[in-house]
């Protein structure tokens, strides 16, 4: 059959995302993927330089997604199916363009780990993320902020005259447009993926990209790549060069032979073909290969320990198979960012398909022979020259204007194109996609004035890049303008000026709590915990007086600010004030798992340890438990010397002495 592209609906048990957190993300969420300065000094010079290049100071202008729960209902998700007589790829443009499934028809095999549910968890840079399939990670170290966001999608002519699917968006952490073209030739066992990241600005930009492929994990699953060494990163936050495959007495290319979660970034020689494969006991599985620009390859494994098993159940449902991730990126490790000069671009082609190799060689003791077997079978199935030729054929098509639209992303790209007059052939950001969130910024652009709201509403999202900051600085100094200006100045690292802007706005603001909350965060950053607690308390009181209803938006604001206020008050031992904030939260909020944990911490501070233990004994689930978080174990250890129950054990590293 000729390649076809069609829309469909994929129905899964799904937990609703909920509203975004309305408080500006003045700091990154807790990040597990970091190393200390001593470790960095011992790394190769290029790697150390790229690890230190432009780390995130904030998540701005992106908002945190933490409003989801754990209750799932059958939900229809818009999907796109790309199909020939060999492969069927199912893509979710509404969820970051994730490839949910890659089905090989002749063998009836699913090549990916296909999550049977949609369950957000706190793994992305901005919170909500979900496991399974193939995801496109752009922005900064970690899972992209677009994990649970819609992308633009359309049909574009493919290099062979058929049809391909283009996904595109404006990545807001680094202020860069990108595209992903999915092309399945009519007679091919391999899905080609052309990727392009452009920098339309005059200034250079840090760039990050990793394609993450979830594959089913069994006792005999082996991951192979063209490397004899790897950089091991564990959740102890250390990065070290280790041999492949044997390390610390076990063959780590079998994911279940490790106890704790870990990353292995393979040291692929510059001249080697770039590929990675996951194969089962019979030598069957998936292989990914690419042009040489995508130099990095990685294995992420959960391991066989209690914490890793618990996380896998958390991300899906009991009884489903486990998974590992094989990955490909622009740098050697995910701790690095590459410089992209103004006006420049990165582009490459990836290919995904089935592979069958001799199981005796794949699972033999000779690692070099196992790699050679897989590379030889890959060469037979898809020669290196064929991948390079496919890239050369695709590259002229990257500028082709899209035809039939299949999905619509955000309006932020349209706003940036409107402001900058950028010419971006192949990725149109139409003015028709501008919406309510972009409206005040468009007015600032056209009139020089940031509009004041006509009624009491929460402040919308802030924009923080230099051109928007410049416009805010020259706009009339109204309270809401000063609020957004302070957020932009904070993002730029000018903390003192941010505080001055927020203090100026506070004097005339009809709505004081957003400014007070920002000032409280600044106090925390400056080490003034007592004043931070007082400002948080004042901000929460102001919000409670101002809130207009019990709707989703106001409830989200109250929960987010209340949580921050309680943490700040407990930090300075103002237990009574922290309990007063707790008492003013809505009953439905207090019943959430995150707030059950917060209540247990409050009870401990009040000396009511038996009641705190009863909270744990009754059972609760913290829906937005952060990847790598150890807070459940820390609080439990304040209550008892008993072992941490399995239901609360999410440890991703060995206990420290």
């Amino acid at each position: 059959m000729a390649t076809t592209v069609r829309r469909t609906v994929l129905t899964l048990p799904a937990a609703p995302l909920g509203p975004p957190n309305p408080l500006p993300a003045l700091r990154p969420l807790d990040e597990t993927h970091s190393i200390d300065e001593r470790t960095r000094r011992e790394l190769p010079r290029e790697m150390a330089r790229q690890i230190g290049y432009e780390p995130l100071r904030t998540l701005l202008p992106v908002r945190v997604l933490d409003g989801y729960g754990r209750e799932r209902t059958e939900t229809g998700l818009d999907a796109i199916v790309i199909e020939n007589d060999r492969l069927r790829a199912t893509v979710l443009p509404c969820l970051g363009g994730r490839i949910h499934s890659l089905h090989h028809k002749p063998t009836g095999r699913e090549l990916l780990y296909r999550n049977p549910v949609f369950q957000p968890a706190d793994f992305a840079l901005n919170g909500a993320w979900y496991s399974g399939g193939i995801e496109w990670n752009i922005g900064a170290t970690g899972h992209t902020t677009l994990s649970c966001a819609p992308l633009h999608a359309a049909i574009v002519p493919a290099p062979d005259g058929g049809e391909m699917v283009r996904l595109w968006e404006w990545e807001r952490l680094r202020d860069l447009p990108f595209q992903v073209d999915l092309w399945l030739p009519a007679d091919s066992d391999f899905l080609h993926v052309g990727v392009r990241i452009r920098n339309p600005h005059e200034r250079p930009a840090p760039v990050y990209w990793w394609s993450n492929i979830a594959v089913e994990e069994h006792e005999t699953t082996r991951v192979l790549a063209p490397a004899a060494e790897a950089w091991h990163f564990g959740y102890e936050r250390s990065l070290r060069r280790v041999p492949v495959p044997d390390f610390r007495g076990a063959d780590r290319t079998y994911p279940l032979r490790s106890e704790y979660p870990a990353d292995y970034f393979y040291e692929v020689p510059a001249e080697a073909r770039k590929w990675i494969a996951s194969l089962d006991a019979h030598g069957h599985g998936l292989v990914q290969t690419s042009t040489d620009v995508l130099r990095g390859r990685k294995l992420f494994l959960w391991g066989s320990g209690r914490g890793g098993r618990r996380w896998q159940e958390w991300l899906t449902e009991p009884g489903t198979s486990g998974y590992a991730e094989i990955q490909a990126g622009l740098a050697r490790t995910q701790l690095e960012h590459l410089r992209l000069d103004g006006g420049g671009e990165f582009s490459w082609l990836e290919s995904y398909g089935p592979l069958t190799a001799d199981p005796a060689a794949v699972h033999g003791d000779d690692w070099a022979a196992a790699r050679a077997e897989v590379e030889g079978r890959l060469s037979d199935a898809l020669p290196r020259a064929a991948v390079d030729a496919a890239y050369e054929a695709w590259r002229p098509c990257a500028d082709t204007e899209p035809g039939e639209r299949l999905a619509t992303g955000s309006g932020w790209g349209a706003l940036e194109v409107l402001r900058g007059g950028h010419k971006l052939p192949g990725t149109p950001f139409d003015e028709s996609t501008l919406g309510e969130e972009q409206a005040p910024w468009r007015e600032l652009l056209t009139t020089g004035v940031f509009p004041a709201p006509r009624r009491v509403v929460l402040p919308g999202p802030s924009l923080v890049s230099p051109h928007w900051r410049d416009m805010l600085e020259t706009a009339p100094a109204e309270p809401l303008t000063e609020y957004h200006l302070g957020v932009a100045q904070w993002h730029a690292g000018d903390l003192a000026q941010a505080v001055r802007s927020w203090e100026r706005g506070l004097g005339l603001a009809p709505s004081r709590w957003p400014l007070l909350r920002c000032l409280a965060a600044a106090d925390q950053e400056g080490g003034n915990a007592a004043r931070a607690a007082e400002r948080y308390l004042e901000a929460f009181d102001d919000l409670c007086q101002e809130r207009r209803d019990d709707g989703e938006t106001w409830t989200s604001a109250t929960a987010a600010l209340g949580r921050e206020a309680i943490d700040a008050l407990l930090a300075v031992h103002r237990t009574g004030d922290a309990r007063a904030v707790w008492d003013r939260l809505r009953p439905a909020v207090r019943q959430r798992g995150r707030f059950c944990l917060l209540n247990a911490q409050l009870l401990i501070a009040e000396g009511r340890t038996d009641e705190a233990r009863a909270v744990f004994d009754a059972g609760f689930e913290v829906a937005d438990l952060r990847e790598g978080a150890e807070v459940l174990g820390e609080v439990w250890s304040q209550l008892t010397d008993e072992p941490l129950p399995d239901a609360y054990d999410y440890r991703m590293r060995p206990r420290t002495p």
Side-chain angles (χ1 to χ4, degrees), residues 75-87:
T75 305
L77 303 174
D78 290 336
I80 300 169
V81 174
I82 311 166
E83 186 173 15
N84 65 9
D85 60 353
R86 312 287 297 175
L87 279 181

Side-chain angles (χ1 to χ4, degrees), residues 395-436:
R395 188 60 189 81
C397 300
D399 284 347
T400 302
E401 291 303 311
E404 179 188 351
R405 301 302 170 92
L406 302 174
T408 303
S410 78
W412 295 113
L415 183 67
E416 292 300 330
V417 169
L418 193 64
R419 182 210 60 80
H422 304 302
K423 305 300 180 185
L424 299 168
T427 54
F429 293 94
D430 301 329
E431 284 192 42
S432 62
T433 62
L434 292 168
E436 183 178 349

Side-chain angles (χ1 to χ4, degrees), residues 618-646:
F620 61 89
E621 293 183 323
V622 181
D624 60 332
L625 187 67
R626 186 69 177 161
E627 176 190 11
E630 298 179 350
V631 63
L632 290 169
E634 291 166 355
V635 176
W636 176 262
S637 67
Q638 297 177 54
L639 299 172
T640 177
D641 293 330
E642 297 173 23
L644 183 66
D646 285 352

Side-chain angles (χ1 to χ4, degrees), residues 107-244:
T107 60
R109 295 203 308 267
E110 173 59 48
L111 302 180
L112 305 175
Y113 167 71
R114 184 176 55 191
N115 198 332
V117 304
F118 171 69
Q119 177 56 62
D122 193 2
F123 277 62
L125 286 164
N126 64 329
W129 171 87
Y130 65 105
S131 65
I134 305 173
E135 59 176 313
W136 319 112
N137 288 300
I138 181 174
T141 299
H143 293 284
T144 178
T145 62
L146 296 166
S147 292
C148 295
L151 303 189
H152 301 284
I155 294 176
V156 182
D160 61 357
E163 294 180 334
M164 67 180 177
V165 171
R166 173 162 301 156
L167 307 166
W168 73 99
E169 243 306 351
W170 196 282
E171 200 288 311
R172 302 179 67 211
L173 288 180
R174 302 306 194 182
D175 208 18
L176 302 175
F178 73 99
Q179 70 190 79
V180 177
D181 288 356
L182 306 172
W183 166 34
L184 181 58
D187 58 350
S188 178
D189 275 322
F190 284 83
L191 176 70
H192 295 318
V193 181
V195 182
R196 177 167 63 166
I197 303 170
R198 286 185 277 192
N199 181 2
H201 310 294
E202 295 180 357
R203 64 184 186 278
V207 170
Y208 173 94
W209 182 280
W210 281 79
S211 302
N212 289 11
I213 309 125
V215 290
E216 286 200 3
E217 170 193 71
H218 303 284
E219 290 290 342
T220 55
T221 298
R222 193 176 203 187
V223 172
L224 302 100
E229 291 183 309
W231 292 92
H232 169 267
F233 179 81
Y235 286 77
E236 307 94 327
R237 305 195 179 193
S238 62
L239 186 67
R240 70 183 74 182
R241 193 193 297 259
V242 300
V244 176

